[in-house]
Amino acid sequence: MTLHLQTLFIQAVRQRSGPFAHEFQLPIRQGSQKDLMFPNGGCIRARYNMVGRKRLSGTRHTDCVALVTARGGSKRLPGKNIRQLGGRPLIAWSIAAALKSLHVRRVIVSTDCVEIAEAARQAGGEVPFLRPPELSGDHAAHQDVVAHAVDWLERDEGRLPEFLCLLQPTSPLRCASDIDATLDLIIETEADCAFAVSSVTTHPALMYRLDGPKASPYLPPRDGYVRTQDLDPLYYVNGAVYVVRPSTFRERQTLLSQHPVAYVMGHERAVDIDHEWDFRLAEILLAMRSD
């Protein structure tokens, strides 16, 4: 069984199509599931995920806790984490995705705001603490907030979970399948850090610095005419999903390692809400999803 899964994963990577967990093609109808039998007698169950792709899910138990971090006092978009989006508070979308994940066994919310805490509890998340004053406000470092939650988890459970999945409430359109695919990737590659990325819409080769009206290329210019389709494909960290191993996170005190792995998400699920326009875009995309 393990040998066959590893073979599928290697083939998918060679084809640049992503890990087998979300790209392997199966002849099944949406909403259905099917058992796949292998020559050695192994079996896995496949089902469609929320975005219409096929997903392989075995019986492997994953020791993963999701952490949703949400502070109050946003200056660009006041009250955004509890603002209504599609009939529920913004933070509720991230909690719902985590609760639907096949890998996540517990959803913890770290906040410094009583109103956010109440909305999170109503959405099904655990809010076992409010952040201390030194971790409140927009000057608190994100890694310190995560470290505080990791310390609390170890005291509460008597050990560290194998994986911690960090979800920012400002990415409400990410699906449970995106969470699971990122976790599948870190498990299969045995990396210590994984995150979601999306392709850049404007390549750095087309960017300029401005000194008043004077423009200078951000990157050294290339000789001759270069078509955009000939530029190297690049990706940015979209903030929707981070997965770390708490033990190694403690050692380096940062979410990103020197050798991470990345799961590619479509732009339609990678909206990061920071301004009013972002919120309006999320409303439009959510309405299109329900049509």
Side-chain angles (χ1 to χ4, degrees):
M1 174 61 175
T2 302
L3 177 61
H4 283 277
L5 292 181
Q6 289 174 344
T7 301
L8 288 172
F9 176 71
I10 293 170
Q11 290 175 345
V13 170
R14 287 177 178 172
Q15 296 168 3
R16 296 185 179 182
S17 61
F20 74 88
H22 69 288
E23 293 289 351
F24 186 63
Q25 299 299 307
L26 301 171
I28 58 177
R29 295 163 52 190
Q30 188 165 359
S32 64
Q33 65 181 25
K34 182 177 181 180
D35 290 338
L36 300 179
M37 303 303 298
F38 291 94
N40 66 346
C43 176
I44 57 176
R45 175 159 294 176
R47 69 174 178 82
Y48 268 86
N49 63 27
M50 292 177 61
V51 294
R53 284 182 170 181
K54 298 82 174 173
R55 170 171 177 74
L56 301 182
S57 57
T59 57
R60 175 184 58 211
H61 171 70
T62 305
D63 182 19
C64 178
V65 173
L67 175 65
V68 182
T69 58
R71 67 176 182 84
S74 173
K75 292 182 173 60
R76 293 192 187 98
L77 202 58
K80 67 179 178 182
N81 285 322
I82 54 175
R83 183 171 170 176
Q84 291 289 308
L85 174 67
R88 64 173 76 171
L90 182 65
I91 192 173
W93 290 95
S94 295
I95 294 172
L99 291 173
K100 291 178 182 177
S101 165
L102 297 174
H103 286 304
V104 172
R105 63 175 174 81
R106 192 174 184 184
V107 182
I108 305 294
V109 178
S110 171
T111 184
D112 57 359
C113 174
V114 174
E115 290 79 10
I116 293 176
E118 180 57 29
R121 290 190 183 98
Q122 291 183 6
E126 296 180 53
V127 191
F129 55 80
L130 288 178
R131 295 182 201 167
E134 62 270 20
L135 295 180
S136 301
D138 54 2
H139 295 295
H142 206 183
Q143 62 264 25
D144 293 339
V145 171
V146 175
H148 174 262
V150 168
D151 290 344
W152 182 90
L153 266 173
E154 186 176 37
R155 290 193 302 270
D156 185 63
E157 297 189 345
R159 62 180 181 85
L160 290 175
E162 184 177 4
F163 299 105
L164 185 73
C165 179
L166 179 62
L167 304 174
Q168 300 182 142
T170 49
S171 300
L173 303 186
R174 139 253 297 126
C175 299
S177 57
D178 296 315
I179 297 172
D180 287 335
T182 308
L183 275 153
D184 285 334
L185 185 59
I186 195 173
I187 292 168
E188 297 301 329
T189 60
E190 298 183 352
D192 63 356
C193 171
F195 47 73
V197 299
S198 297
S199 59
V200 298
T201 55
T202 302
H203 199 280
L206 305 176
M207 295 181 180
Y208 284 78
R209 290 189 178 94
L210 293 182
D211 183 7
K214 183 179 179 181
S216 58
Y218 177 69
L219 296 178
R222 300 188 182 189
D223 294 332
Y225 174 72
V226 179
R227 302 179 305 169
T228 55
Q229 58 264 40
D230 294 330
L231 296 171
D232 294 334
L234 294 178
Y235 302 84
Y236 70 95
V237 180
N238 60 35
V241 186
Y242 295 87
V243 179
V244 298
R245 297 178 188 267
S247 56
T248 54
F249 165 76
R250 273 186 172 170
E251 295 173 3
R252 61 176 182 261
Q253 287 298 302
T254 179
L255 292 174
L256 304 182
S257 67
Q258 292 185 343
H259 304 287
V261 291
Y263 161 70
V264 180
M265 278 178 62
H267 292 280
E268 74 281 0
R269 302 192 310 283
V271 174
D272 183 13
I273 296 178
D274 198 29
H275 298 87
E276 182 66 28
W277 163 247
D278 301 322
F279 200 95
R280 297 300 182 188
L281 178 59
E283 289 180 320
I284 294 170
L285 291 172
L286 190 60
M288 292 173 60
R289 182 185 291 181
S290 61
D291 285 346

